[in-house]
Amino acid sequence: MERVDEPAPEPATVDRLQEEVGRMMEQARELQEFGSSLLWKISNEEQSLRQNAISLESSIRRVRSMITSLVAQKHLGRGLASKYEDDLQRAICIIAEGDAAAFLPAKYQGRFLRKFLGPINVRASRKEVQLKVKEEYNSYRDRTALLFLLFPLTLLVLRSWIWDGCLPAFPVQLYQAWLLFLYTGLAMRENILRANGSDIRPWWVHHHYCAIAMALISITREIEGQPNCAQKQKGVELFLQWAMMQGVVMLLQNRYQRQRLYTRIALGKANRMDVVWGEASGVDGQLWILCPIFFLMQGFEAYVGVLFLKSAFAGIVSTWQVICCGILLVVMAIGNFINTIQSLMTKSRIKAKMKGTKSKKESD
């Protein structure tokens, strides 16, 4: 087959093409120069805003310290001081709620995030992105609370109906692997929320570190079977019962504490990035129901931990994993109890302060 040569382009067409390419190159250079200029201008303005935000934060701390000093010297009445404190708290919420929050100094992200993600800045510059992170955290809590109830319930039902009262090792280790995934996900999300300005108490993050360690240790533990399966697996059975109860409590806790958080945000006592932390954040009527359940769960958790330790030292299941899990359960129970008491005391002080301010206004 003979090759057909393509016709040569006309000179006018070549000239127009050359002009078009040259114009595009010039537009690309102009766009690059404009972008560089804009980014330099934005960078300078951001730096100025960061300095203003830092200065305002420092001024608020200074004024708060001055108010405390004047109250201690009895140069300022407690009612007026309380009013000033409320106004300063609202000013902090305005900064943290608005777009100015992106210019506040980034919080320390912690070793946990650096180990998993490396030196990456996880602070979102836009408020809507921060709120999406918080909503995803709340959704994760809701989803896992239901699984926290169903997973151990399924194991206990299968133990009675199919496995003749003796749990196989693999399903229990699968459950512990899920707990490892759950608590690692919670710890990562809470560290990211703290880096974005959320008010999560450090203990709850440390509690999840302990739970991660316990789940990791439990995966390596060999589940003892026959003979004397019921005696050897007594601690595992009680732990599953505790986990099932904990799932019910988590569902109630998520619902009640979120109602309380929405109230605090409406009153200007919290910002939208705060989450439902702790075990004493419900409203007054709900606390009468929740607090006894919390203390009961903490006591049950400590009992399971002590049972693990007794079974290890008595030689029933004498492995290092049982000892470590027993110690971690007792530590988490004590930490939860102390933190719950501290939360209740803080809530009581805030309530007394609000009543004092209200009575002062009525007398005026």
Side-chain angles (χ1 to χ4, degrees):
M1 177 181 258
E2 294 184 2
R3 182 182 170 201
V4 179
D5 294 334
E6 294 182 1
E10 297 181 3
T13 304
V14 174
D15 292 341
R16 285 198 302 271
L17 182 61
Q18 185 176 358
E19 290 177 3
E20 188 74 16
V21 172
R23 187 170 67 255
M24 290 180 179
M25 288 292 294
E26 185 63 27
Q27 289 176 352
R29 293 191 189 97
E30 290 177 356
L31 184 61
Q32 169 63 22
E33 291 175 0
F34 178 77
S36 298
S37 175
L38 180 61
L39 289 176
W40 179 81
K41 182 179 179 182
I42 290 173
S43 176
N44 285 342
E45 291 179 353
E46 280 187 358
Q47 187 62 29
S48 175
L49 286 171
R50 290 184 195 281
Q51 291 175 355
N52 290 339
I54 293 172
S55 175
L56 181 56
E57 261 197 332
S58 176
S59 298
I60 290 175
R61 288 196 298 268
R62 177 178 54 80
V63 172
R64 276 185 156 175
S65 177
M66 185 185 303
I67 291 172
T68 303
S69 176
L70 289 174
V71 170
Q73 297 172 8
K74 297 185 178 180
H75 294 321
L76 182 66
R78 292 190 178 276
L80 194 56
S82 177
K83 179 182 179 301
Y84 292 155
E85 282 285 352
D86 289 343
D87 290 342
L88 290 175
Q89 181 61 37
R90 289 190 178 90
I92 292 172
C93 285
I94 289 171
I95 299 172
E97 280 285 293
D99 295 328
F103 305 107
L104 295 173
K107 291 187 176 182
Y108 178 66
Q109 294 181 182
R111 295 181 181 178
F112 186 82
L113 278 181
R114 291 207 310 273
K115 291 293 183 183
F116 279 91
L117 305 178
I120 297 175
N121 182 17
V122 297
R123 184 181 178 92
S125 58
R126 298 171 61 186
K127 200 65 184 178
E128 57 267 27
V129 177
Q130 292 182 344
L131 293 175
K132 284 181 180 179
V133 173
K134 176 201 161 184
E135 287 303 319
E136 198 281 332
Y137 169 77
N138 288 334
S139 298
Y140 183 77
R141 278 177 53 121
D142 291 337
R143 295 193 306 269
T144 53
L146 188 58
L147 287 175
F148 213 107
L149 168 64
L150 295 178
F151 212 141
L153 176 62
T154 303
L155 289 177
L156 290 173
V157 170
L158 291 176
R159 174 181 177 269
S160 300
W161 290 2
I162 298 177
W163 294 326
D164 297 326
C166 194
L167 287 165
F170 178 72
V172 178
Q173 289 173 339
L174 183 64
Y175 172 61
Q176 295 295 339
W178 178 79
L179 287 179
L180 177 62
F181 168 79
L182 163 67
Y183 286 119
T184 303
L186 281 173
M188 290 188 68
R189 284 167 171 80
E190 287 166 351
N191 275 281
I192 292 172
L193 284 169
R194 282 175 62 84
N196 282 277
S198 184
D199 183 22
I200 301 176
R201 287 199 173 190
W203 163 249
W204 300 114
V205 183
H206 295 151
H207 172 273
H208 291 149
Y209 294 159
C210 293
I212 289 170
M214 194 180 84
L216 191 59
I217 292 170
S218 298
I219 292 175
T220 66
R221 175 191 170 190
E222 182 180 358
I223 305 298
E224 299 284 346
Q226 300 293 353
N228 299 325
C229 181
Q231 185 179 15
K232 292 177 181 178
Q233 293 189 359
K234 184 64 176 177
V236 177
E237 180 186 358
L238 288 176
F239 177 80
L240 292 174
Q241 292 174 358
W242 170 84
M244 190 172 60
M245 294 167 59
Q246 181 70 11
V248 176
V249 172
M250 286 173 65
L251 289 170
L252 294 173
Q253 184 180 353
N254 290 352
R255 176 187 173 188
Y256 290 156
Q257 291 179 350
R258 194 173 298 180
Q259 291 176 1
R260 176 58 178 168
L261 177 61
Y262 290 154
T263 302
R264 286 176 56 79
I265 291 173
L267 293 174
K269 302 294 184 180
N271 67 66
R272 287 182 292 171
M273 279 305 295
D274 289 348
V275 297
V276 288
W277 50 263
E279 293 192 338
S281 304
V283 297
D284 292 337
Q286 296 160 353
L287 282 179
W288 286 105
I289 301 173
L290 287 176
C291 280
I293 298 176
F294 289 145
F295 291 134
L296 177 63
M297 291 296 301
Q298 291 156 9
F300 194 11
E301 185 178 19
Y303 170 70
V304 175
V306 171
L307 185 65
F308 273 29
L309 294 174
K310 285 178 65 177
S311 65
F313 293 126
I316 300 173
V317 187
S318 54
T319 61
W320 67 269
Q321 291 98 330
V322 175
I323 296 174
C324 290
C325 289
I327 293 172
L328 286 171
L329 281 170
V330 172
V331 168
M332 287 189 289
I334 294 173
N336 290 345
F337 177 77
I338 293 173
N339 197 79
T340 303
I341 295 297
Q342 290 175 347
S343 298
L344 288 172
M345 292 175 64
T346 301
K347 181 179 176 62
S348 178
R349 285 196 297 268
I350 293 173
K351 187 176 179 181
K353 179 180 175 181
M354 292 176 65
K355 283 185 177 180
T357 305
K358 184 177 180 181
S359 61
K360 177 70 176 177
K361 288 180 180 180
E362 290 175 354
S363 62
D364 292 341

